[in-house]
Amino acid sequence: MTSVVGKEMARPITPHSILVAELQKTLKLAQESDVPAEILDSLRQGVQLAAGLDPYLDEYTTPESSALKALAQKTSQEDWGKRFSDRATVLQLEQEMLSGHLEGQTLKMFVHLTKAKRILEVGMFTGYSALAMAEALPSDGVLIACEVDTYVAEFAQNCFSESPDGKKIIVEVAPALETLHKLAARKESFDLIFIDADKKEYVEYFQLILQHDLITSEGLICVDNTLLQGQVYLPPEQRTANGEAIAQFNAVVAADPRVEQVLLPIRDGVTLIRRVG
């Protein structure tokens, strides 16, 4: 899920960026009030520490390719709200749904580390994460990307055509569960699966992948947005429907004896899952 173009997000959408915004708001209120100097100093230091983290991570992570940079810029220039304003039944699309530099390079590193040759992406949006992973695939590697929206799929494919690695990507335009069932029927399997689609279907994706061996025995499942703006560890009454869905997904994975997992605080949370036994 989700995008950064340049050094700053368009709006705070991760636990860390939301925390930074809240700290900045608190500091501003404190500066306008009769607050002791030592409290102001402490708040300033807190803001400085928190606000400096994301730009530092971005600066010291390997730069994105020119093709990825162009894709991110094109995504940021699209007026997603206007384009889909008349489609109430469609998930509202926005530039923040793009994975972005840090997460893209993280996924690319996972491809290198796992030596993956076959990748499945469940939920593509404009293709940033798909292209980042494709760049790490060998020349005979393939990535199948699931995307439900025809316009977004065409948008991504136009971007892929500008990269020599775009030819490794096959886009399946259909609801993700439909594509997963089709792949399962063909008895296909993948070395790496990245999930970033409808949050309310995460548990079903997970169960289907394991039950039908869509992931190889040594394969890696990466799941995006598993911190969901911090909602998963806030009181249930403060969660949106998506926040509750992700909290339930995290609980299901943690209780499943077939796998082991680690939840990383990268952007909006990335969970790594592998089979055991």
Side-chain angles (χ1 to χ4, degrees):
M1 166 197 143
T2 23
S3 188
V4 183
V5 177
K7 298 293 184 182
E8 297 182 357
M9 295 181 182
R11 62 184 176 86
I13 57 167
T14 68
H16 183 77
S17 62
I18 293 169
L19 175 61
V20 170
E22 290 298 320
L23 284 172
Q24 290 172 332
K25 186 191 303 180
T26 302
L27 177 59
K28 183 178 179 181
L29 290 171
Q31 290 171 330
E32 296 171 350
S33 306
D34 187 17
V35 174
E38 59 269 27
I39 294 179
L40 278 176
D41 287 342
S42 180
L43 276 172
R44 288 191 188 99
Q45 289 182 33
V47 169
Q48 186 177 31
L49 277 171
L53 179 59
D54 281 345
Y56 190 86
L57 293 174
D58 189 61
E59 183 176 358
Y60 286 93
T61 295
T62 298
E64 62 194 348
S65 67
S66 58
L68 285 171
K69 185 175 182 179
L71 191 157
Q73 289 176 337
K74 186 175 179 181
T75 301
S76 71
Q77 292 164 359
E78 184 80 5
D79 190 347
W80 297 104
K82 182 178 179 181
R83 179 165 295 282
F84 295 101
S85 61
D86 60 341
R87 296 167 62 182
T89 60
V90 176
L91 174 68
Q92 178 60 52
L93 301 175
E94 53 190 354
Q95 74 171 66
E96 286 84 9
M97 294 176 72
L98 187 130
S99 299
H101 174 216
L102 177 62
E103 189 170 353
Q105 292 303 306
T106 300
L107 291 170
K108 190 172 179 178
M109 185 69 75
F110 289 155
V111 178
H112 284 301
L113 292 174
T114 59
K115 296 180 170 57
K117 292 189 69 175
R118 288 178 52 79
I119 298 173
L120 173 63
E121 181 173 62
V122 184
M124 179 183 69
F125 188 43
T126 59
Y128 189 98
S129 53
L131 186 56
M133 290 187 287
E135 289 181 349
L137 280 170
S139 58
D140 59 343
V142 63
L143 185 152
I144 296 178
C146 308
E147 175 52 51
V148 69
D149 189 274
T150 302
Y151 178 83
V152 177
E154 292 176 355
F155 184 103
Q157 288 172 312
N158 288 334
C159 293
F160 297 157
S161 67
E162 301 298 317
S163 167
D165 297 295
K167 63 181 182 294
K168 303 172 188 174
I169 303 171
I170 299 171
V171 181
E172 294 280 354
V173 183
L177 286 172
E178 181 181 315
T179 300
L180 289 177
H181 280 292
K182 182 171 70 173
L183 294 170
R186 298 202 307 240
K187 299 190 181 303
E188 299 206 32
S189 61
F190 300 87
D191 306 306
L192 191 153
I193 298 177
F194 179 51
I195 300 174
D196 184 14
D198 188 340
K199 311 312 169 194
K200 293 184 265 314
E201 294 182 349
Y202 267 29
V203 170
E204 199 166 354
Y205 301 149
F206 172 69
Q207 299 290 5
L208 200 159
I209 286 166
L210 293 186
Q211 289 168 6
H212 293 277
D213 295 324
L214 283 169
I215 191 73
T216 60
S217 59
E218 299 297 322
L220 179 67
I221 303 171
C222 303
V223 188
D224 201 14
N225 303 117
T226 47
L227 289 178
L228 215 285
Q229 301 178 1
Q231 293 180 33
V232 293
Y233 52 84
L234 293 176
E237 60 271 17
Q238 296 183 35
R239 296 173 188 161
T240 61
N242 279 344
E244 182 59 32
I246 293 298
Q248 291 179 11
F249 169 78
N250 290 342
V252 165
V253 173
D256 195 317
R258 297 172 295 177
V259 300
E260 63 181 20
Q261 70 288 331
V262 58
L263 204 170
L264 304 175
I266 297 171
R267 298 203 69 243
D268 203 26
V270 175
T271 296
L272 308 182
I273 305 170
R274 64 178 291 272
R275 285 184 183 270
V276 295

